[in-house]
Coordinates of all heavy atoms in Angstrom, one line a residue:
V108 N 5.7 -77.0 181.0 CA 5.2 -78.3 180.7 C 5.9 -79.0 179.5 O 6.4 -80.1 179.6 CB 3.7 -78.3 180.4 CG1 3.1 -79.7 180.0 CG2 2.9 -77.8 181.6
G109 N 6.1 -78.3 178.4 CA 6.7 -78.8 177.3 C 8.2 -79.2 177.5 O 8.7 -80.3 177.2
K110 N 8.9 -78.3 178.2 CA 10.3 -78.5 178.6 C 10.4 -79.8 179.5 O 11.3 -80.6 179.2 CB 10.8 -77.3 179.4 CG 12.3 -77.5 179.8 CD 12.8 -76.3 180.5 CE 14.3 -76.6 180.9 NZ 14.8 -75.5 181.7
A111 N 9.5 -79.9 180.4 CA 9.5 -81.1 181.3 C 9.3 -82.4 180.5 O 9.9 -83.4 180.8 CB 8.5 -81.0 182.5
L112 N 8.4 -82.3 179.5 CA 8.1 -83.5 178.7 C 9.3 -83.9 177.9 O 9.6 -85.1 177.8 CB 6.8 -83.3 177.8 CG 5.5 -83.3 178.6 CD1 4.4 -82.7 177.7 CD2 5.2 -84.7 179.0
V113 N 9.9 -82.9 177.3 CA 11.1 -83.2 176.5 C 12.2 -83.8 177.4 O 12.9 -84.7 177.0 CB 11.6 -82.0 175.7 CG1 13.0 -82.2 175.1 CG2 10.6 -81.6 174.6
E114 N 12.4 -83.2 178.5 CA 13.4 -83.7 179.5 C 13.2 -85.1 179.9 O 14.1 -85.9 180.0 CB 13.5 -82.8 180.7 CG 14.2 -81.4 180.4 CD 14.2 -80.4 181.5 OE1 13.4 -80.6 182.5 OE2 14.9 -79.4 181.4
K115 N 11.9 -85.4 180.1 CA 11.5 -86.8 180.4 C 11.9 -87.8 179.2 O 12.4 -88.9 179.5 CB 10.0 -86.9 180.7 CG 9.6 -88.3 181.2 CD 10.2 -88.6 182.6 CE 9.6 -89.8 183.1 NZ 10.2 -90.2 184.4
A116 N 11.6 -87.3 178.0 CA 12.0 -88.1 176.8 C 13.5 -88.3 176.8 O 13.9 -89.5 176.5 CB 11.4 -87.5 175.6
L117 N 14.2 -87.3 177.0 CA 15.7 -87.4 176.9 C 16.2 -88.3 178.1 O 17.1 -89.1 177.8 CB 16.3 -86.0 177.0 CG 16.0 -85.1 175.9 CD1 16.6 -83.7 176.2 CD2 16.6 -85.6 174.6
E118 N 15.6 -88.2 179.2 CA 16.0 -89.1 180.3 C 15.7 -90.6 180.0 O 16.5 -91.5 180.2 CB 15.1 -88.7 181.6 CG 15.3 -89.5 182.8 CD 14.3 -89.0 183.9 OE1 14.3 -87.8 184.2 OE2 13.4 -89.9 184.3
Y119 N 14.5 -90.8 179.3 CA 14.2 -92.1 178.9 C 15.2 -92.6 177.8 O 15.7 -93.8 177.9 CB 12.8 -92.1 178.2 CG 12.4 -93.4 177.6 CD1 12.2 -94.6 178.4 CD2 12.1 -93.5 176.2 CE1 11.9 -95.8 177.8 CE2 11.7 -94.7 175.6 CZ 11.6 -95.8 176.4 OH 11.3 -97.0 175.8
F120 N 15.6 -91.8 176.9 CA 16.6 -92.2 175.9 C 17.9 -92.6 176.6 O 18.6 -93.5 176.2 CB 16.8 -91.1 174.8 CG 15.6 -90.8 174.0 CD1 15.4 -89.5 173.5 CD2 14.6 -91.7 173.8 CE1 14.3 -89.2 172.8 CE2 13.5 -91.4 173.0 CZ 13.3 -90.1 172.5
K121 N 18.3 -91.7 177.5 CA 19.6 -92.0 178.2 C 19.5 -93.3 179.0 O 20.5 -94.1 178.9 CB 19.8 -90.8 179.2 CG 21.1 -90.8 179.8 CD 21.3 -89.6 180.7 CE 22.7 -89.5 181.3 NZ 23.0 -88.3 182.0
S122 N 18.4 -93.6 179.6 CA 18.2 -94.9 180.3 C 18.3 -96.1 179.3 O 18.6 -97.2 179.7 CB 16.9 -95.0 181.0 OG 15.8 -95.2 180.2
R123 N 18.1 -95.9 178.0 CA 18.2 -96.9 177.0 C 19.6 -97.0 176.4 O 19.8 -97.7 175.5 CB 17.2 -96.6 175.9 CG 15.7 -96.5 176.3 CD 15.1 -97.9 176.5 NE 15.3 -98.8 175.4 CZ 14.4 -99.2 174.5 NH1 13.2 -98.6 174.5 NH2 14.7 -100.0 173.6
G124 N 20.5 -96.1 176.9 CA 21.8 -96.1 176.4 C 22.0 -95.3 175.1 O 23.1 -95.5 174.4
L125 N 21.1 -94.5 174.7 CA 21.1 -93.8 173.4 C 21.9 -92.5 173.6 O 21.8 -91.9 174.7 CB 19.7 -93.5 172.9 CG 18.9 -94.8 172.7 CD1 17.5 -94.4 172.2 CD2 19.5 -95.7 171.6
D126 N 22.6 -92.1 172.6 CA 23.4 -90.8 172.7 C 22.9 -89.7 171.8 O 23.5 -88.6 171.8 CB 24.9 -91.1 172.4 CG 25.2 -91.5 171.0 OD1 24.2 -91.6 170.2 OD2 26.3 -91.8 170.7
T127 N 21.8 -89.9 171.1 CA 21.3 -88.9 170.2 C 19.8 -88.9 170.2 O 19.2 -90.0 170.2 CB 21.8 -89.2 168.7 OG1 23.2 -89.3 168.7 CG2 21.3 -88.1 167.8
A128 N 19.2 -87.7 170.2 CA 17.7 -87.6 170.0 C 17.5 -86.8 168.8 O 18.3 -85.9 168.4 CB 17.2 -86.8 171.2
E129 N 16.4 -87.1 168.1 CA 16.0 -86.4 166.9 C 14.5 -86.2 166.8 O 13.8 -86.9 167.5 CB 16.5 -87.1 165.6 CG 15.7 -88.2 165.1 CD 16.2 -88.7 163.7 OE1 17.3 -88.5 163.3 OE2 15.4 -89.4 163.1

Side-chain angles (χ1 to χ4, degrees):
V108 175
K110 180 180 180 187
L112 286 166
V113 171
E114 287 172 348
K115 186 67 173 178
L117 295 174
E118 177 186 301
Y119 173 64
F120 298 151
K121 190 173 182 176
S122 78
R123 303 281 311 258
L125 302 175
D126 64 4
T127 305
E129 78 172 25

